[in-house]
Structures are given as structure tokens and as C-alpha cells.
Amino acid sequence: MSGSGSKCVRLSGPLVKPLLDSVDCVLFDCDGVIWRGNQAVAGAPQVINLLKERGKRVLFVTNNSTKTRSMYAEKMSALGFNVTEDEVFGTAFCCAAYLQTVCALRGKVYLLGSAAMQQELQAVGIQHVGVGPDHVSGTQQDWANVPLDPDVKAVVVGFDEHFSYMKLNRALQYLLQNDCLFVGTNRDSRLPLEGGKAVPGTGCLLQAVEAAAQRQAQTVGKPSRFMFDCLAARFGVQPERCMMVGDRLDTDILLGSNCGLKTLLTLTGVSTVAEAEAHRASGCAQRQGMVPDFYVESIADLLPALQG
Amino acid sequence: MSGSGSKCVRLSGPLVKPLLDSVDCVLFDCDGVIWRGNQAVAGAPQVINLLKERGKRVLFVTNNSTKTRSMYAEKMSALGFNVTEDEVFGTAFCCAAYLQTVCALRGKVYLLGSAAMQQELQAVGIQHVGVGPDHVSGTQQDWANVPLDPDVKAVVVGFDEHFSYMKLNRALQYLLQNDCLFVGTNRDSRLPLEGGKAVPGTGCLLQAVEAAAQRQAQTVGKPSRFMFDCLAARFGVQPERCMMVGDRLDTDILLGSNCGLKTLLTLTGVSTVAEAEAHRASGCAQRQGMVPDFYVESIADLLPALQG
């Protein structure tokens, strides 16, 4: 029912200030929005720092599970952003929070994931097994009878460069136990890199485990609303006074729509205006959630209004 | 439009001989049908051997890609089946045939697969790279820039116990080239083992690669009709004079329906009569293809009619 005529508007000139005045909190995706690889998007540190100086709550919401909050804060400081680690919500942190709060997990995690996920689990006192290489050996019978840790009560799938057939098999053997929880960090099928390159993302690993287990994982990353619930609970964010800024329609913008936030697409990353327009023109109700309210070439387009 | 009232009939007593008289060719799935693990289903060798003595063409159609035709023939002989390797159609063999005949592949294969697939490709003169372990090292940038063999023109995914993140990544890098073919042996998500155990099947690996590549593979295994086309071309099989016998509704019985064959479910493997009845009762057109014409407890139920 939202008047589609007023969506996907280029945000510029006199439109910027009223929009910023209408929100108290701005959420930013990271890669493709405030940085690309190891370089800040030009003007992005100034935008973030000025928003904070103007009294806005600024938070960061990323599906990437390979960094802890403190690793993010460190990278951001090095790039000139005035950010503390409690302002960063990555899926490594949120996944640990989800297991602790929503699942009230009593038991260990079988973790397909990184050292960062390991650290975030440890920080909330959740024990885990499985990190690191796990090469195959033996016969199919051996794989089916692989020793399991009886304390494991959840399989968690994040980005794992050591993903292997044996890990997939071990996850399956745990998930054949009906009371075993199944949680994924996110469903992004590729990690985009500079120059149009990409490597496989966590979504590929999660799909392999889901196919084996014939079960769907609960995911904490965008567009699942858990990440927003997580930060809203900590900072008392009101959805109607909050804006989500991202470069991906299927994660960032959809999260914003799912949570009733204002949405702003920036064109320094993955998605294009043409894709947003195609969603809008589709007439498909499901795809309307991927149409942003506004778009900018870069978040640097917000700078004049903040400096004025 | 097929009168659903006459489907899913228990095959016994006086019904057996007319059915066998109505066919010249019988196709058998292997695991769960003529053997389980390394043991012949009781009576199965006699059934196969008598069918052949009575002048029936008997062929074997299996999605398992870990054996060559000659490996299958050897296993069958050891279990008492009178079978030659040209009567066996596994996905390792059929995949090589598909690449050679349908794709007319000129170039190498990047192969996620077993030694058996390697041998079947070699037998038709197709070169390949990739078999064996491929462990991760380096950074994301290194992965995205991994050296590629310029002669590779197809990615083929079969069962690969050495499946790893690095192999998934290499497959993605090849598949980012638009002219690269993408073929999978089959979509079975689990390999069932004795005692209700299971390990992850090729379908899991294929889904991971498909998610990364954002492309669908062409699969040669059941229920895709290529395996039937392959054997029909070699032996002049007429669909209306042919019966498919299998233990899985979603592969064996669906293949039979897709190709216009008579279909017989045997209950020594994966699927149950209750599942078949549920498909029939669903009223869903797509699921009717998974309702067999007949079912038996075991293919040994055919024995009296053959001995009489």
C-alpha cells in the first residue's frame, strides 16, 4: 500500500536535510558503503563523524562474520571513523548474542566458522568445537560413525575457509539429533572484492549443510530482523526514527523494510538503481521490500547538508 | 489424466506375470534395490539372472558416481549377478557420455569428483584437472586470483570427499567465465548407509557451487532423463515396453514417469508406501510423477512368477 510513486528517489540538494532531521539513528552497512576492501569511501569518515557530532546515534550492521566487534572498531579507527566497538553489530557478535539470549543455549556449539566467531562465543561463555582444518579419511561407514561431542547442542555455520566434506558430514551427524539447534550467520552467496571479483560466501556453505540436514537454519544476519532487534534493545532505537543505509537491496534494504525503517541505497557497492527499479516495476509484493526510499551515488552526498 | 485409482498397487500373485510379459526391458536402481551396502538383497541375483534367461534386457541405472562401469560389473559378479559392464549406467559413465555427445565438449573439465569419474572421462578422451585435496591458503584476494587453466571449458560436480572451500572457490572462478559449462552428476542430498545412517551426498556439494555461481547445473542423473536416453540409444529400448524398478520416489520413480516407463517401487531402500500414497493424495500434478504403478516388499517377490 506504500505509494510506490514516492520510492527510489534520488536524494540530493534540498531533500537531504529534512530526511536527516526526521531520524535520530542511522544504521550503516560497512563493505561497499563506508569502505571498499581496505579503503574508506571518499568522504565517508566525515559523514559518520559529523552525524555523530550533530547528535545522531550511528551504528554499523554487517553480515560479515570474520571480525569481532573490536576488530571492526580497530579497522574503522585506522580509516578515520570515530567509532567504538559497542556501536558495531557484526554477525559474529550477533550470532553469539542470539545463542545466548534467544536460544538460551545450554551446551556447546559445533562451529563452522572463524577465529572471530570463536572469540565472540567465548566472550559470552559459550563453549565450542570444530574450528580449523578437518580433512577426510576412512570410509563412508567411518564418516557416518564419526565421534560426536555429547555436549554439542547447536550447529553454527558462519564463514569458514576450512569448510570441507568432513565438516559438512560432522554437521549432518549432529543435526540428525532432533534437539540440535541450527543457526547460520547469513545467506550471502558471495563476498564481493575489488575489481568485480568475488569469492564464495557463507550462504554457499549454509546451503550445503541445509541440503544434507534437510532442515532450514535460523539466520541472524540481514535481512533477518534479529540484528535490528539486537541493537534496538541495547540503544532504545525507534524504527520510525531510524534509517538503514546499504549497498544491497536483498539484505540491507530488505532489512530496513522488514523493520519499518527509512531506507537509503548507496551505489558504491553491489546493487544498482536499475535493479531497484526492476523490483518496483515487478508488481510483486515480496520484491517491494527491496525498493529503497532513496538512493545516493555515495554517502558523501550527505556531506553538504551536514556541513551547512 | 492417468487414472490415479490404478496406481500404487501392491504387485503380487497373479499380477506379476502379465506385467513382466508387457515389458522387454527392466531397469534396476542398485543400492536399496539389488543390494544394500555390500550385501545382495536376498533373492535379487536369481531375479536378475532369471529375467535375462527369460530374454529380458536388464540394465542398471545408478546415481552413484564413485564407481566406473567395470567397478560395478565386478561388484555385481562378486554378489552373484550375471552382469556385464555395458549393462551398467552410473553417473560417472553417463556424465562423460553427456560431455562428449550432448555438449561436444572441446576443452578440459575442472572436476570435483572421484577417481572413478576421472577414469570414465579418460575413457572418452576428456582431459581434466582438480581431483584430490585442495586446501586453502592465502587471503581472499589470493583466492579470487587463483591461477586458472585456460583450457578448462566445463565444471563438473560429482561426489567428492575432498570437497573444500578452495575447490568451491576454484569452481566459482571458472564459472564466472560465461562460456564455461556446468554439469552435475546428480542431486541426491544424502548417501544412505546401513542402520539408518547417512552421509552427505553430491546434491549438497552441487548446491554450494550453484549458490556461489548463481547458475543452475545441468544434471545427468535420475530424475533427469539423460540416463534413459543414453541407454535407450545404445539398446533400442522402447519406453512403453520398459519398466523402472527403484527404491526412491524422487529419483527412480520420477525418472520412470518422466520417460513414460512402467514403474515399480521396492521397499528395501529409502521410500515408503505411505510417502507414495501422500504424493497420490496431494492432488499436486508435479507429485503424481512420484507415484509408482506398483510396489513390492522386495524384488524377490518377482521370483515365483519367474520360476513358474
Side-chain angles (χ1 to χ4, degrees):
Chain A
M1 297 303 120
S2 71
S4 67
S6 65
K7 297 210 78 173
C8 207
V9 172
R10 184 181 181 123
L11 184 67
S12 63
L15 293 175
V16 181
K17 196 166 176 298
L19 177 62
L20 292 179
D21 286 345
S22 75
V23 299
D24 305 319
C25 176
V26 188
L27 312 181
F28 287 92
D29 176 40
C30 296
D31 199 30
V33 177
I34 64 166
W35 66 57
R36 295 167 58 107
N38 287 316
Q39 284 215 295
V41 165
Q46 294 93 309
V47 169
I48 301 300
N49 299 346
L50 280 169
L51 280 168
K52 294 180 80 172
E53 283 171 33
R54 300 284 177 269
K56 305 297 182 192
R57 172 77 66 196
V58 177
L59 302 171
F60 301 88
V61 185
T62 169
N63 273 1
N64 190 315
S65 65
T66 63
K67 287 191 175 67
T68 60
R69 307 186 100 179
S70 67
M71 291 171 183
Y72 278 114
E74 203 174 309
K75 174 172 179 174
M76 287 175 176
S77 297
L79 294 178
F81 296 94
N82 170 19
V83 172
T84 60
E85 67 175 78
D86 60 317
E87 293 162 335
V88 186
F89 294 80
T91 48
F93 169 79
C94 289
C95 191
Y98 182 81
L99 292 165
Q100 188 192 30
T101 60
V102 179
C103 305
L105 178 69
R106 305 229 173 282
K108 290 186 196 171
V109 162
Y110 176 64
L111 177 60
L112 296 180
S114 60
M117 293 186 68
Q118 209 168 12
Q119 288 170 39
E120 295 288 18
L121 287 177
Q122 276 158 358
V124 297
I126 295 176
Q127 287 189 285
H128 55 82
V129 295
V131 170
D134 186 2
H135 303 315
V136 76
S137 66
T139 66
Q140 292 179 354
Q141 286 294 341
D142 297 329
W143 309 339
N145 293 295
V146 78
L148 300 182
D149 185 325
D151 296 331
V152 166
K153 300 295 177 206
V155 168
V156 173
V157 180
F159 185 78
D160 185 357
E161 67 196 62
H162 295 292
F163 188 78
S164 66
Y165 181 80
M166 205 57 189
K167 288 191 165 193
L168 171 62
N169 173 61
R170 231 179 271 267
L172 168 59
Q173 304 310 327
Y174 282 116
L175 289 166
L176 286 173
Q177 304 171 339
N178 281 329
D179 62 343
C180 185
L181 296 172
F182 186 15
V183 176
T185 54
N186 65 295
R187 296 191 179 277
D188 298 49
S189 60
R190 289 185 188 169
L191 278 177
L193 303 177
E194 288 301 279
K197 300 261 179 185
V199 295
T202 305
C204 304
L205 316 183
L206 190 56
Q207 280 210 27
V209 179
E210 289 183 328
Q214 298 169 12
R215 284 170 64 179
Q216 284 266 108
Q218 180 64 49
T219 52
V220 299
K222 298 170 286 185
S224 153
R225 60 172 295 136
F226 177 73
M227 291 182 91
F228 178 75
D229 292 343
C230 196
L231 65 88
R234 277 168 172 76
F235 289 102
V237 174
Q238 291 176 281
E240 64 281 11
R241 299 279 306 167
C242 180
M243 175 165 71
M244 174 75 212
V245 185
D247 71 316
R248 289 187 65 142
L249 301 172
D250 59 345
T251 52
D252 302 318
I253 302 306
L254 188 54
L255 173 79
S257 303
N258 285 345
C259 299
L261 318 182
K262 299 179 207 304
T263 54
L264 173 61
L265 174 70
T266 176
L267 301 177
T268 45
V270 170
S271 298
T272 64
V273 173
E275 288 163 349
E277 287 293 350
H279 288 311
R280 184 164 75 150
S282 71
C284 167
Q286 255 192 319
R287 291 174 67 183
Q288 298 312 309
M290 293 191 275
V291 184
D293 296 321
F294 299 96
Y295 71 91
V296 284
E297 292 295 321
S298 157
I299 62 166
D301 295 0
L302 305 178
L303 212 44
L306 287 165
Q307 288 169 326
Chain B
M1 297 303 118
S2 69
S4 68
S6 64
K7 297 209 79 175
C8 207
V9 171
R10 185 183 179 119
L11 184 67
S12 63
L15 293 175
V16 182
K17 197 167 174 302
L19 177 62
L20 292 179
D21 287 344
S22 76
V23 298
D24 304 318
C25 177
V26 187
L27 311 182
F28 286 92
D29 177 39
C30 297
D31 200 30
V33 177
I34 64 167
W35 67 55
R36 294 168 59 107
N38 287 314
Q39 283 214 298
V41 165
Q46 294 93 309
V47 169
I48 302 300
N49 299 344
L50 279 170
L51 281 168
K52 293 180 80 173
E53 283 171 33
R54 300 286 178 268
K56 304 298 183 192
R57 171 77 66 196
V58 177
L59 301 172
F60 300 89
V61 186
T62 169
N63 273 2
N64 189 314
S65 65
T66 64
K67 288 190 174 66
T68 61
R69 306 186 99 180
S70 66
M71 290 170 182
Y72 277 115
E74 203 174 307
K75 174 170 180 175
M76 288 176 176
S77 296
L79 294 178
F81 296 95
N82 169 19
V83 172
T84 60
E85 67 175 77
D86 61 317
E87 293 163 336
V88 186
F89 294 80
T91 48
F93 170 78
C94 288
C95 192
Y98 182 82
L99 292 166
Q100 188 192 29
T101 60
V102 178
C103 305
L105 178 68
R106 305 225 173 287
K108 289 186 196 170
V109 162
Y110 176 64
L111 178 61
L112 296 180
S114 59
M117 294 187 68
Q118 207 169 14
Q119 288 170 41
E120 295 288 17
L121 287 178
Q122 276 158 359
V124 296
I126 294 177
Q127 289 189 285
H128 55 82
V129 296
V131 170
D134 185 2
H135 304 316
V136 77
S137 66
T139 66
Q140 292 180 355
Q141 285 294 341
D142 297 329
W143 310 339
N145 293 294
V146 78
L148 301 182
D149 184 326
D151 296 331
V152 166
K153 299 295 177 206
V155 167
V156 173
V157 180
F159 184 78
D160 185 356
E161 68 196 62
H162 296 293
F163 188 78
S164 66
Y165 181 79
M166 205 57 189
K167 287 191 165 194
L168 172 62
N169 173 61
R170 231 179 271 268
L172 168 59
Q173 304 310 326
Y174 282 116
L175 288 166
L176 287 172
Q177 304 172 339
N178 281 330
D179 61 344
C180 186
L181 296 171
F182 186 16
V183 176
T185 55
N186 65 294
R187 297 191 179 277
D188 299 47
S189 60
R190 289 185 188 170
L191 277 177
L193 302 177
E194 288 301 279
K197 299 261 180 184
V199 295
T202 306
C204 305
L205 316 183
L206 190 56
Q207 281 209 30
V209 179
E210 288 183 329
Q214 298 169 12
R215 283 168 66 178
Q216 284 266 109
Q218 180 64 48
T219 51
V220 300
K222 300 171 284 185
S224 152
R225 59 172 295 136
F226 177 74
M227 291 184 92
F228 178 74
D229 293 343
C230 196
L231 64 89
R234 277 168 172 78
F235 290 103
V237 174
Q238 291 177 280
E240 65 280 10
R241 300 279 305 166
C242 180
M243 176 164 72
M244 175 73 212
V245 185
D247 71 315
R248 289 187 66 141
L249 301 172
D250 59 344
T251 53
D252 302 319
I253 302 306
L254 189 53
L255 173 78
S257 302
N258 285 345
C259 299
L261 318 182
K262 298 178 207 309
T263 53
L264 173 60
L265 173 71
T266 177
L267 301 177
T268 45
V270 171
S271 298
T272 65
V273 174
E275 288 163 347
E277 287 293 352
H279 288 311
R280 184 164 74 150
S282 70
C284 167
Q286 255 193 320
R287 292 174 65 182
Q288 297 313 308
M290 292 192 276
V291 183
D293 296 320
F294 300 97
Y295 70 91
V296 285
E297 291 295 321
S298 156
I299 62 166
D301 295 359
L302 304 179
L303 212 44
L306 287 165
Q307 288 168 326

